[in-house]
Amino acid sequence: MSSIKKTLMKQGMKLMSDPRVMKIMQDERVMKAVMQMMNVPGKVQTFGNEQVEKLAKAMSLATEDEVKDLKRQIRRLEEEVARLEKEKKQARA
């Protein structure tokens, strides 16, 4: 953990133990706001991913997920071809 993060965590824990802060945190509106703030990084990540996908589609580029899906599909098809070739050899024998 970086020293800045450690310092912030330490100060945050000290702040949370303050009786005045504890009283404020009991307010439902404050807790709701804190929960919404905690959700911001996930929302930003989701928004960023959506924008990347839109840009990729606009430029006719494959996204990372699409490439992974295609690789999986190719692997399955290769396995199917190998199985069929094996069956064909066994049928000849």
Side-chain angles (χ1 to χ4, degrees):
M1 204 183 298
S2 71
S3 61
I4 295 173
K5 191 172 182 179
K6 284 181 185 177
T7 304
L8 286 174
M9 288 293 289
K10 193 183 293 183
Q11 291 298 325
M13 295 305 287
K14 191 188 300 182
L15 190 62
M16 291 302 291
S17 65
D18 187 325
R20 295 171 294 184
V21 173
M22 291 174 74
K23 185 175 180 179
I24 290 171
M25 293 303 286
Q26 291 175 350
D27 187 335
E28 184 179 325
R29 296 171 296 179
V30 172
M31 284 305 295
K32 192 173 181 179
V34 168
M35 293 303 290
Q36 287 178 342
M37 286 186 338
M38 291 174 74
N39 288 333
V40 168
K43 289 180 180 180
V44 169
Q45 179 73 35
T46 301
F47 177 76
N49 290 342
E50 289 172 355
Q51 295 306 308
V52 167
E53 285 183 27
K54 285 180 184 178
L55 179 63
K57 287 182 187 199
M59 297 179 69
S60 299
L61 299 172
T63 63
E64 184 177 354
D65 289 338
E66 291 171 332
V67 171
K68 285 180 184 177
D69 288 341
L70 286 172
K71 285 181 178 181
R72 264 188 242 117
Q73 189 173 2
I74 289 169
R75 188 173 48 251
R76 280 190 221 117
L77 290 171
E78 289 172 341
E79 290 169 357
E80 180 71 11
V81 167
R83 186 186 63 77
L84 291 171
E85 287 175 346
K86 184 178 178 181
E87 286 178 9
K88 185 178 177 183
K89 286 180 184 179
Q90 289 176 350
R92 284 190 212 157

